[in-house]
Amino acid sequence: YDLSVQLYESAALVSYLNRDIGLMQKYLKILFENVQRFDDRLNGYLVMIQSLMSNNKHRDAVRKIIFILEELGESISVDVTPKEVYIELMSTKALFDAITPADVIHGKRMADMRIRWRLRFLQLLHSPLYVIEPHAIYVTACRILKLSAEHGFCSDSAIALQVYGHGILNIQNDVEGCLRWAHAAFCLVKSLGAKH
């Protein structure tokens, strides 16, 4: 079973990379119809979403990612006002004022694969949101950081740290905070190793 799932995921990915979207969709359809667990669809969804984004179907990508996140137990709204973005950044800042960059770089690592998938799809939201709702990327970055602070840090946390740093720079003109968290993100990726 596991080998079949991996073969269909690989076939869909290769078809996407070869720009044969019809064949990619065929492999994904077979995969989705035959998997036994929702989690076995996740790699296929990654390929599907990349395809949607590369074809400028950003709203479709956002809808699909939000659906997947809900299935993974993570509800998020990206239809947010600038005030809501500010509130989210400030609540994250309050949390991260008590966390040092060393805590992030050398601290607990993400071990729960289900939470790791949530972070991966939250991070994947950044690309289409940047095109259609740029201010909403701060909300997804803050959610990633709050989950990371609770469950452990990973490479998706590093990307969120950079986006968060950019957010506090834009909202509060906090140059020092922006640089601190950007440097922490770089060091986190380095500490995880290139393959993570």
Side-chain angles (χ1 to χ4, degrees):
Y1 171 80
D2 289 339
L3 179 60
S4 294
V5 169
Q6 290 173 358
L7 288 172
Y8 277 98
E9 289 170 352
S10 296
L13 178 60
V14 168
S15 299
Y16 163 68
L17 293 173
N18 285 324
R19 298 178 184 249
D20 191 340
I21 303 305
L23 189 58
M24 177 205 76
Q25 290 171 337
K26 178 182 169 186
Y27 285 127
L28 288 177
K29 183 176 189 263
I30 293 168
L31 175 70
F32 294 158
E33 288 174 351
N34 291 289
V35 293
Q36 297 169 356
R37 300 176 304 265
F38 177 80
D39 289 14
D40 293 335
R41 295 174 175 221
L42 296 174
N43 282 316
Y45 280 137
L46 286 175
V47 174
M48 174 190 287
I49 291 163
Q50 291 294 338
S51 173
L52 289 170
M53 290 188 300
S54 67
N55 287 297
N56 292 320
K57 296 181 178 178
H58 303 292
R59 292 193 190 285
D60 292 341
V62 168
R63 280 191 289 273
K64 182 57 75 176
I65 294 168
I66 288 173
F67 162 78
I68 294 163
L69 285 167
E70 287 174 356
E71 290 295 315
L72 289 169
E74 191 68 37
S75 232
I76 190 164
S77 173
V78 294
D79 185 23
V80 290
T81 66
K83 181 179 180 180
E84 290 167 324
V85 171
Y86 176 82
I87 291 168
E88 191 65 34
L89 278 167
M90 293 304 98
S91 72
T92 304
K93 187 173 186 321
L95 174 65
F96 272 74
D97 281 347
I99 297 173
T100 67
D103 294 334
V104 171
I105 297 162
H106 304 294
K108 181 179 173 184
R109 296 291 180 247
M110 178 65 63
D112 184 328
M113 281 309 297
R114 191 112 169 134
I115 302 291
R116 179 74 168 102
W117 276 112
R118 289 183 194 179
L119 297 188
R120 187 167 292 154
F121 282 102
L122 282 165
Q123 187 274 332
L124 198 56
L125 264 175
H126 291 163
S127 294
L129 284 179
Y130 188 76
V131 174
I132 60 174
E133 294 287 340
H135 64 281
I137 65 172
Y138 301 123
V139 173
T140 59
C142 289
R143 180 71 61 89
I144 290 169
L145 293 178
K146 287 176 179 178
L147 286 168
S148 297
E150 182 178 350
H151 299 283
F153 292 90
C154 62
S155 56
D156 292 314
S157 310
I159 295 166
L161 282 169
Q162 291 176 327
V163 174
Y164 165 72
H166 188 261
I168 61 173
L169 174 66
N170 284 337
I171 301 292
Q172 289 195 310
N173 203 26
D174 186 353
V175 175
E176 183 181 312
C178 177
L179 292 174
R180 178 176 57 250
W181 292 116
H183 185 265
F186 174 76
C187 292
L188 176 61
V189 168
K190 192 173 175 183
S191 76
L192 294 170
K195 63 183 177 187
H196 192 70

